[in-house]
Amino acid sequence: MTPFRLSTTAIICLNLLLNPTPANTPLSSSTSPNDETPDFSNVGFLILAGGTGSRMKANMPKQFLTLRSSPVLHYSLDLFLEKLPAHCAEMGVSPPAMVVLVMDPKYQPEYQPIVDKYAGKLAFANPGKERQGSVENGLKKLVEATGNDNGCEFVAVHDSARPLVTIPEICHVVSDAKEYGAAVLGVPCKATIKESEDGTLVARTIPRSRLWEVHTPQVVKVEALLRGFEKVEREGLEVTDDVSIIEALGEPVKLTRGEYTNLKITTPEDMDVADAILAERGVKEIQLV
């Protein structure tokens, strides 16, 4: 068997991710094993897995590509259906109320055995034309599945192309959302950012200290997100992520400092880096069925 080797660029990226500069090291509050685990009984999760992943130059969407021994998507499913509930049980709190998998109908038959195994805890929803439509469809399914009386008060939206998010990060962002009404994982930008009006000349340098790269999950009150959808449709607003909808309402969104390792699989090189991070963590093979 040919030994696995990382490319030089991937090794450099991995070193930056696992050893961030001191100024950008995530706060201990997002990584401490002693963090208080919130109650998840009123929190539902949406996993967005309807993307095409065109930049991967692969013959299938990136969430279905094999990362180590499992599809990328399976890391999120395993986290929200197995690892997080087990952690909640250990901490003596309730697990997530429901997980909704937003997926193209043509892939749903392949995942039906997993939905059957987690009956009452996992359900399908169809994607929309854009991210907002996918979130709306997933939220409708979540409300329908959990009922009006015991429904979810909060929804956590997660990109399936982020297979490396950790339980401490999830606990921290959910706790912040419960305090502020909405929260998003993110990290301070490391790179210097230039603004250009024409793509040729630099207009200005944006102060790096004010810039954050946002990740997922993004956690929002269901009631606020529904109001936000109405406003966006009524006023024809353009929003790029879930908390942008809350920003449009003029309501606060808490920045929850996360980990640089919570990368999004976008290019083939990202697969190498993610593979190395999983190896570093000693992640074992995932068995969902």
Side-chain angles (χ1 to χ4, degrees):
M1 179 181 295
T2 303
F4 171 75
R5 290 186 177 87
L6 283 173
S7 67
T8 302
T9 305
I11 292 173
I12 293 171
C13 291
L14 181 60
N15 286 333
L16 288 172
L17 287 167
L18 296 180
N19 302 288
T21 57
N24 286 333
T25 300
L27 296 176
S28 59
S29 58
S30 68
T31 58
S32 170
N34 297 320
D35 276 355
E36 181 180 351
T37 300
D39 185 277
F40 282 87
S41 61
N42 63 346
V43 181
F45 283 82
L46 303 186
I47 302 177
L48 303 182
T52 59
S54 57
R55 280 176 288 183
M56 286 296 296
K57 299 179 181 179
N59 60 359
M60 68 178 71
K62 58 193 174 186
Q63 60 269 26
F64 303 122
L65 295 175
T66 299
L67 177 59
R68 295 181 72 78
S69 60
S70 303
V72 170
L73 168 60
H74 286 206
Y75 290 89
S76 296
L77 289 170
D78 182 60
L79 180 63
F80 298 138
L81 294 169
E82 291 288 343
K83 289 186 172 64
L84 182 57
H87 173 77
C88 289
E90 184 180 347
M91 296 294 105
V93 300
S94 298
M98 188 76 184
V99 177
V100 174
L101 178 58
V102 182
M103 173 180 281
D104 191 305
K106 70 180 180 181
Y107 295 107
Q108 290 180 12
E110 182 180 347
Y111 280 79
Q112 188 63 52
I114 299 177
V115 172
D116 293 341
K117 177 181 177 180
Y118 295 96
K121 287 293 182 181
L122 178 64
F124 286 128
N126 293 337
K129 292 183 178 179
E130 303 292 342
R131 179 192 176 93
Q132 181 184 329
S134 294
V135 174
E136 283 191 79
N137 291 349
L139 187 58
K140 288 177 183 177
K141 174 59 71 172
L142 180 64
V143 171
E144 173 190 314
T146 56
N148 294 326
D149 296 331
N150 300 310
C152 293
E153 185 179 356
F154 293 88
V155 58
V157 184
H158 186 60
D159 288 334
S160 62
R162 292 189 185 271
L164 303 173
V165 68
T166 63
I167 287 176
E169 286 178 288
I170 294 168
C171 290
H172 196 202
V173 73
V174 168
S175 293
D176 280 350
K178 289 192 173 190
E179 180 177 354
Y180 291 88
V184 56
L185 280 175
V187 292
C189 283
K190 292 180 180 181
T192 297
I193 306 296
K194 303 285 187 181
E195 181 180 356
S196 174
E197 295 179 357
D198 58 7
T200 301
L201 299 176
V202 173
R204 66 178 178 126
T205 300
I206 302 174
R208 185 171 56 185
S209 61
R210 298 172 54 190
L211 299 177
W212 285 64
E213 175 187 325
V214 298
H215 298 167
T216 66
Q218 300 187 8
V219 188
V220 182
K221 272 190 173 182
V222 170
E223 175 272 332
L225 193 55
L226 291 172
R227 282 191 290 112
F229 284 147
E230 292 177 357
K231 180 181 178 67
V232 167
E233 182 176 357
R234 183 173 62 252
E235 300 180 12
L237 302 177
E238 287 190 17
V239 292
T240 55
D241 64 359
D242 314 303
V243 294
S244 295
I245 297 173
I246 305 305
E247 294 168 37
L249 291 172
E251 298 180 13
V253 176
K254 176 67 167 62
L255 278 168
T256 301
R257 198 161 182 172
E259 303 284 356
Y260 288 95
T261 50
N262 186 15
L263 60 85
K264 185 175 183 179
I265 304 294
T266 305
T267 65
E269 188 101 305
D270 294 331
M271 293 287 282
D272 291 341
V273 177
D275 190 304
I277 293 171
L278 290 170
E280 175 77 15
R281 292 177 179 177
V283 174
K284 298 179 180 178
E285 185 176 355
I286 294 172
Q287 294 289 346
L288 289 172
V289 289

